[in-house]
PDB file of all heavy atoms in Angstrom:
ATOM      1  N   GLY A  93      16.643 -58.082  27.339  1.00  0.00           N
ATOM      2  CA  GLY A  93      17.811 -57.511  26.697  1.00  0.00           C
ATOM      3  C   GLY A  93      17.840 -57.639  25.186  1.00  0.00           C
ATOM      4  O   GLY A  93      18.846 -57.340  24.560  1.00  0.00           O
ATOM      5  N   LYS A  94      16.742 -58.070  24.595  1.00  0.00           N
ATOM      6  CA  LYS A  94      16.768 -58.230  23.141  1.00  0.00           C
ATOM      7  C   LYS A  94      15.524 -57.562  22.544  1.00  0.00           C
ATOM      8  O   LYS A  94      14.404 -57.790  23.009  1.00  0.00           O
ATOM      9  CB  LYS A  94      16.754 -59.731  22.811  1.00  0.00           C
ATOM     10  CG  LYS A  94      17.125 -60.048  21.386  1.00  0.00           C
ATOM     11  CD  LYS A  94      17.377 -61.555  21.215  1.00  0.00           C
ATOM     12  CE  LYS A  94      17.547 -61.940  19.757  1.00  0.00           C
ATOM     13  NZ  LYS A  94      16.372 -61.633  18.918  1.00  0.00           N
ATOM     14  N   VAL A  95      15.739 -56.756  21.505  1.00  0.00           N
ATOM     15  CA  VAL A  95      14.616 -56.120  20.823  1.00  0.00           C
ATOM     16  C   VAL A  95      13.915 -57.186  19.987  1.00  0.00           C
ATOM     17  O   VAL A  95      14.547 -57.945  19.257  1.00  0.00           O
ATOM     18  CB  VAL A  95      15.105 -54.971  19.905  1.00  0.00           C
ATOM     19  CG1 VAL A  95      13.953 -54.428  19.064  1.00  0.00           C
ATOM     20  CG2 VAL A  95      15.728 -53.854  20.730  1.00  0.00           C
ATOM     21  N   SER A  96      12.583 -57.259  20.079  1.00  0.00           N
ATOM     22  CA  SER A  96      11.872 -58.315  19.353  1.00  0.00           C
ATOM     23  C   SER A  96      11.678 -57.936  17.894  1.00  0.00           C
ATOM     24  O   SER A  96      11.634 -56.764  17.537  1.00  0.00           O
ATOM     25  CB  SER A  96      10.521 -58.580  20.009  1.00  0.00           C
ATOM     26  OG  SER A  96       9.747 -57.397  19.979  1.00  0.00           O
ATOM     27  N   ASP A  97      11.532 -58.969  17.059  1.00  0.00           N
ATOM     28  CA  ASP A  97      11.349 -58.768  15.612  1.00  0.00           C
ATOM     29  C   ASP A  97      10.195 -57.834  15.287  1.00  0.00           C
ATOM     30  O   ASP A  97      10.270 -57.042  14.358  1.00  0.00           O
ATOM     31  CB  ASP A  97      11.086 -60.114  14.922  1.00  0.00           C
ATOM     32  CG  ASP A  97      12.377 -60.800  14.544  1.00  0.00           C
ATOM     33  OD1 ASP A  97      13.454 -60.189  14.736  1.00  0.00           O
ATOM     34  OD2 ASP A  97      12.317 -61.946  14.068  1.00  0.00           O
ATOM     35  N   ILE A  98       9.116 -57.938  16.070  1.00  0.00           N
ATOM     36  CA  ILE A  98       7.928 -57.136  15.757  1.00  0.00           C
ATOM     37  C   ILE A  98       8.260 -55.647  15.812  1.00  0.00           C
ATOM     38  O   ILE A  98       7.662 -54.838  15.093  1.00  0.00           O
ATOM     39  CB  ILE A  98       6.745 -57.486  16.691  1.00  0.00           C
ATOM     40  CG1 ILE A  98       5.425 -56.899  16.166  1.00  0.00           C
ATOM     41  CG2 ILE A  98       6.987 -56.994  18.112  1.00  0.00           C
ATOM     42  CD1 ILE A  98       4.894 -57.529  14.913  1.00  0.00           C
ATOM     43  N   SER A  99       9.234 -55.263  16.624  1.00  0.00           N
ATOM     44  CA  SER A  99       9.605 -53.843  16.722  1.00  0.00           C
ATOM     45  C   SER A  99      10.135 -53.365  15.394  1.00  0.00           C
ATOM     46  O   SER A  99       9.803 -52.263  14.926  1.00  0.00           O
ATOM     47  CB  SER A  99      10.664 -53.644  17.803  1.00  0.00           C
ATOM     48  OG  SER A  99      10.222 -54.189  19.016  1.00  0.00           O
ATOM     49  N   TYR A 100      10.981 -54.176  14.755  1.00  0.00           N
ATOM     50  CA  TYR A 100      11.538 -53.788  13.455  1.00  0.00           C
ATOM     51  C   TYR A 100      10.447 -53.764  12.392  1.00  0.00           C
ATOM     52  O   TYR A 100      10.434 -52.885  11.519  1.00  0.00           O
ATOM     53  CB  TYR A 100      12.649 -54.763  13.043  1.00  0.00           C
ATOM     54  CG  TYR A 100      13.806 -54.805  14.020  1.00  0.00           C
ATOM     55  CD1 TYR A 100      14.100 -55.973  14.730  1.00  0.00           C
ATOM     56  CD2 TYR A 100      14.591 -53.682  14.247  1.00  0.00           C
ATOM     57  CE1 TYR A 100      15.150 -56.015  15.632  1.00  0.00           C
ATOM     58  CE2 TYR A 100      15.647 -53.711  15.145  1.00  0.00           C
ATOM     59  CZ  TYR A 100      15.926 -54.881  15.840  1.00  0.00           C
ATOM     60  OH  TYR A 100      16.957 -54.909  16.728  1.00  0.00           O
ATOM     61  N   ILE A 101       9.531 -54.734  12.484  1.00  0.00           N
ATOM     62  CA  ILE A 101       8.425 -54.762  11.529  1.00  0.00           C
ATOM     63  C   ILE A 101       7.595 -53.487  11.670  1.00  0.00           C
ATOM     64  O   ILE A 101       7.175 -52.868  10.680  1.00  0.00           O
ATOM     65  CB  ILE A 101       7.569 -56.033  11.750  1.00  0.00           C
ATOM     66  CG1 ILE A 101       8.362 -57.272  11.316  1.00  0.00           C
ATOM     67  CG2 ILE A 101       6.242 -55.957  11.008  1.00  0.00           C
ATOM     68  CD1 ILE A 101       7.718 -58.598  11.679  1.00  0.00           C
ATOM     69  N   MET A 102       7.367 -53.074  12.929  1.00  0.00           N
ATOM     70  CA  MET A 102       6.609 -51.838  13.153  1.00  0.00           C
ATOM     71  C   MET A 102       7.336 -50.634  12.556  1.00  0.00           C
ATOM     72  O   MET A 102       6.713 -49.739  11.974  1.00  0.00           O
ATOM     73  CB  MET A 102       6.409 -51.617  14.656  1.00  0.00           C
ATOM     74  CG  MET A 102       5.391 -52.535  15.279  1.00  0.00           C
ATOM     75  SD  MET A 102       4.894 -51.967  16.915  1.00  0.00           S
ATOM     76  CE  MET A 102       6.208 -52.632  17.944  1.00  0.00           C
ATOM     77  N   LEU A 103       8.636 -50.604  12.694  1.00  0.00           N
ATOM     78  CA  LEU A 103       9.395 -49.463  12.161  1.00  0.00           C
ATOM     79  C   LEU A 103       9.261 -49.401  10.641  1.00  0.00           C
ATOM     80  O   LEU A 103       9.113 -48.335  10.052  1.00  0.00           O
ATOM     81  CB  LEU A 103      10.870 -49.571  12.571  1.00  0.00           C
ATOM     82  CG  LEU A 103      11.125 -49.260  14.046  1.00  0.00           C
ATOM     83  CD1 LEU A 103      12.531 -49.691  14.462  1.00  0.00           C
ATOM     84  CD2 LEU A 103      10.928 -47.765  14.314  1.00  0.00           C
ATOM     85  N   ALA A 104       9.318 -50.572   9.992  1.00  0.00           N
ATOM     86  CA  ALA A 104       9.162 -50.611   8.548  1.00  0.00           C
ATOM     87  C   ALA A 104       7.798 -50.048   8.150  1.00  0.00           C
ATOM     88  O   ALA A 104       7.693 -49.215   7.240  1.00  0.00           O
ATOM     89  CB  ALA A 104       9.315 -52.047   8.038  1.00  0.00           C
ATOM     90  N   ALA A 105       6.754 -50.475   8.857  1.00  0.00           N
ATOM     91  CA  ALA A 105       5.404 -49.981   8.564  1.00  0.00           C
ATOM     92  C   ALA A 105       5.322 -48.485   8.850  1.00  0.00           C
ATOM     93  O   ALA A 105       4.695 -47.724   8.107  1.00  0.00           O
ATOM     94  CB  ALA A 105       4.379 -50.742   9.403  1.00  0.00           C
ATOM     95  N   ALA A 106       5.989 -48.068   9.920  1.00  0.00           N
ATOM     96  CA  ALA A 106       5.947 -46.650  10.308  1.00  0.00           C
ATOM     97  C   ALA A 106       6.513 -45.780   9.196  1.00  0.00           C
ATOM     98  O   ALA A 106       6.017 -44.675   8.939  1.00  0.00           O
ATOM     99  CB  ALA A 106       6.724 -46.451  11.604  1.00  0.00           C
ATOM    100  N   HIS A 107       7.550 -46.269   8.516  1.00  0.00           N
ATOM    101  CA  HIS A 107       8.124 -45.477   7.426  1.00  0.00           C
ATOM    102  C   HIS A 107       7.127 -45.300   6.296  1.00  0.00           C
ATOM    103  O   HIS A 107       7.052 -44.237   5.687  1.00  0.00           O
ATOM    104  CB  HIS A 107       9.432 -46.112   6.932  1.00  0.00           C
ATOM    105  CG  HIS A 107      10.605 -45.746   7.797  1.00  0.00           C
ATOM    106  ND1 HIS A 107      11.219 -44.512   7.724  1.00  0.00           N
ATOM    107  CD2 HIS A 107      11.253 -46.430   8.777  1.00  0.00           C
ATOM    108  CE1 HIS A 107      12.202 -44.462   8.625  1.00  0.00           C
ATOM    109  NE2 HIS A 107      12.245 -45.611   9.282  1.00  0.00           N
ATOM    110  N   ASP A 108       6.345 -46.337   6.007  1.00  0.00           N
ATOM    111  CA  ASP A 108       5.300 -46.219   4.985  1.00  0.00           C
ATOM    112  C   ASP A 108       4.308 -45.132   5.379  1.00  0.00           C
ATOM    113  O   ASP A 108       3.921 -44.279   4.565  1.00  0.00           O
ATOM    114  CB  ASP A 108       4.541 -47.556   4.841  1.00  0.00           C
ATOM    115  CG  ASP A 108       5.181 -48.463   3.802  1.00  0.00           C
ATOM    116  OD1 ASP A 108       6.227 -48.063   3.229  1.00  0.00           O
ATOM    117  OD2 ASP A 108       4.634 -49.544   3.561  1.00  0.00           O
ATOM    118  N   LEU A 109       3.893 -45.166   6.656  1.00  0.00           N
ATOM    119  CA  LEU A 109       2.929 -44.177   7.130  1.00  0.00           C
ATOM    120  C   LEU A 109       3.529 -42.771   7.066  1.00  0.00           C
ATOM    121  O   LEU A 109       2.888 -41.821   6.615  1.00  0.00           O
ATOM    122  CB  LEU A 109       2.516 -44.484   8.573  1.00  0.00           C
ATOM    123  CG  LEU A 109       1.509 -45.620   8.776  1.00  0.00           C
ATOM    124  CD1 LEU A 109       1.430 -46.008  10.248  1.00  0.00           C
ATOM    125  CD2 LEU A 109       0.143 -45.208   8.264  1.00  0.00           C
ATOM    126  N   ALA A 110       4.768 -42.663   7.527  1.00  0.00           N
ATOM    127  CA  ALA A 110       5.401 -41.341   7.617  1.00  0.00           C
ATOM    128  C   ALA A 110       5.580 -40.720   6.231  1.00  0.00           C
ATOM    129  O   ALA A 110       5.474 -39.504   6.058  1.00  0.00           O
ATOM    130  CB  ALA A 110       6.743 -41.461   8.334  1.00  0.00           C
TER     131      ALA A 110
END
Side-chain angles (χ1 to χ4, degrees):
Chain A
K94 195 168 171 300
V95 173
S96 60
D97 273 355
I98 193 69
S99 306
Y100 300 116
I101 290 171
M102 286 195 277
L103 287 167
H107 278 283
D108 270 2
L109 283 168

